[in-house]
Amino acid sequence: MINATGNPQRIVLFGGTSEIGLAIVAQYLAQAPAHVVLAIRPDSPRRRAARDQVEAWGATSVRLVDFDAAAVADHPAVVERVWADGDVDLAVLAFGQLGEAERLWHDQPRLVDFMNVNLTGAVSLGALLSQRLAGQGQGQIIVLSSVAGEVVRRSNFVYGSAKAGLDAFFRQLGEALRGSGVHVLVARPGMVRSKMTAGLKAAPLTLDPDQAAAQIVAAAQRGQTLVWVPGAFRWVMLALKHLPAPLFRRLPL
Ligand SMILES: NC(=O)c1ccc[n+]([C@@H]2O[C@H](COP(=O)([O-])OP(=O)(O)OC[C@H]3O[C@@H](n4cnc5c(N)ncnc54)[C@H](OP(=O)(O)O)[C@@H]3O)[C@@H](O)[C@H]2O)c1
């Protein structure tokens, strides 16, 4: 159960090596111990380090479950394994790939693989998790969307369109779950310094993973359904969204 102060007793992180995802887990563990399941690609070189970190942060237990976002046919079995030790209170979906739009839209098989990870994989898991959590009568989902999905840019339109789809699905999944005891928080960060953005020029309002995680966890504990990270992006994106296309096209985005 999530206790009165908003602390879950069992957390699963899909994309168990994600720097933002791990920072979210760290925030919760700093408040109260919890059992943690890390759902990670079997061939990720970061599996051991992620487990060691979560143990060092004081998790009551840490268990690894193999998980490939693109292997949607395996998702029901993955969810079964995640639930093997009992109810899960919080599921964090933090997997994703940034990709290069130019390369992807010229290469159909790669494009489809990319969408299977970033969009179809997330949607598939969202549906399965919702059923499990609603069956328990309680629980929370935090999903990592992006400001890139709110205003999709030419330079990043493949990633942006995957996030737009993910964002729309989870926003309305939260509505569909109203009254079930299950809450969905869609987090829309701007740029965060993680391995996903390593080597890229820092954009305005760039945060570290722990800064982003602190804002996301605070929003989850307040019961919000949407959080911009940082909050200023709400207004930046509102302005960008309403720019006429010829003007928007000229921006260095
Ligand atoms: N960093 C940013 O600026 C930013 C901004 C907005 C939103 N986000 C979103 O936040 C989430 C976390 O990103 P991050 O910054 O923490 O990046 P990250 O550290 O690179 O984490 C990405 C995670 O996705 C996992 N992953 C990739 N492909 C996968 C697959 N096929 N199956 C399962 N897991 C897979 C990676 O696992 P491996 O260890 O196997 O590679 C890794 O755990 C992502 O959804 C990202 O789109 C990031």
Side-chain angles (χ1 to χ4, degrees), residues 44-60:
S44 170
R46 294 170 279 274
R47 287 168 70 95
R48 181 68 192 268
R51 174 198 277 270
D52 290 350
Q53 270 184 309
V54 175
E55 276 172 358
W57 291 329
T60 314

Side-chain angles (χ1 to χ4, degrees), residues 79-80 83 127-138:
V79 170
E80 280 302 315
W83 255 258
L128 293 168
L129 294 172
S130 297
Q131 289 158 22
R132 283 311 286 238
L133 295 172
Q136 292 174 184
Q138 65 91 26

Side-chain angles (χ1 to χ4, degrees), residues 13-22 39-47 67-71 93-98 113 116-118 143-148 159 163 166 187-197 200 206-207 209:
L13 173 61
F14 290 94
T17 66
S18 148
E19 289 185 50
I20 301 175
L22 285 167
I40 305 181
R41 277 195 285 194
D43 57 352
S44 170
R46 294 170 279 274
R47 287 168 70 95
F67 162 66
D68 185 338
L93 276 63
F95 53 90
Q97 299 171 4
L98 189 56
D113 285 348
N116 282 343
V117 175
N118 284 21
V143 63
L144 270 297
S145 176
S146 170
V147 297
Y159 176 81
K163 287 299 190 191
L166 173 152
R188 291 181 185 158
M191 190 169 185
V192 179
R193 291 180 198 92
S194 71
K195 56 186 181 294
M196 180 174 278
T197 54
L200 301 181
T206 295
L207 298 180

Side-chain angles (χ1 to χ4, degrees), residues 67-72 75 95-97 108-125 162:
F67 162 66
D68 185 338
V72 289
H75 287 187
F95 53 90
Q97 299 171 4
Q108 184 261 359
R110 267 182 202 272
L111 177 67
V112 172
D113 285 348
F114 179 89
M115 286 296 181
N116 282 343
V117 175
N118 284 21
L119 178 56
T120 312
V123 163
S124 153
L125 211 51

Side-chain angles (χ1 to χ4, degrees), residues 140-248:
Q140 193 163 27
I141 296 173
I142 298 176
V143 63
L144 270 297
S145 176
S146 170
V147 297
E150 178 67 2
V151 175
V152 179
R153 293 169 285 131
R154 164 71 183 85
S155 59
N156 196 18
F157 77 96
V158 177
Y159 176 81
S161 55
K163 287 299 190 191
L166 173 152
D167 193 292
F169 180 83
F170 279 89
R171 290 286 287 148
Q172 295 313 311
L173 184 64
E175 292 301 314
L177 286 164
R178 263 183 195 276
S180 70
V182 183
H183 297 271
V184 177
L185 172 65
V186 174
R188 291 181 185 158
M191 190 169 185
V192 179
R193 291 180 198 92
S194 71
K195 56 186 181 294
M196 180 174 278
T197 54
L200 301 181
K201 193 169 157 246
L205 305 173
T206 295
L207 298 180
D208 288 326
D210 57 336
Q211 295 173 308
Q215 295 180 29
I216 293 167
V217 171
Q221 291 180 329
R222 282 194 294 266
Q224 285 177 224
T225 58
L226 175 66
V227 62
W228 298 87
V229 186
F233 269 117
R234 178 178 179 188
W235 308 113
V236 174
M237 290 298 140
L238 189 70
L240 287 178
K241 211 169 182 169
H242 290 94
L243 277 185
L247 206 59
F248 184 67

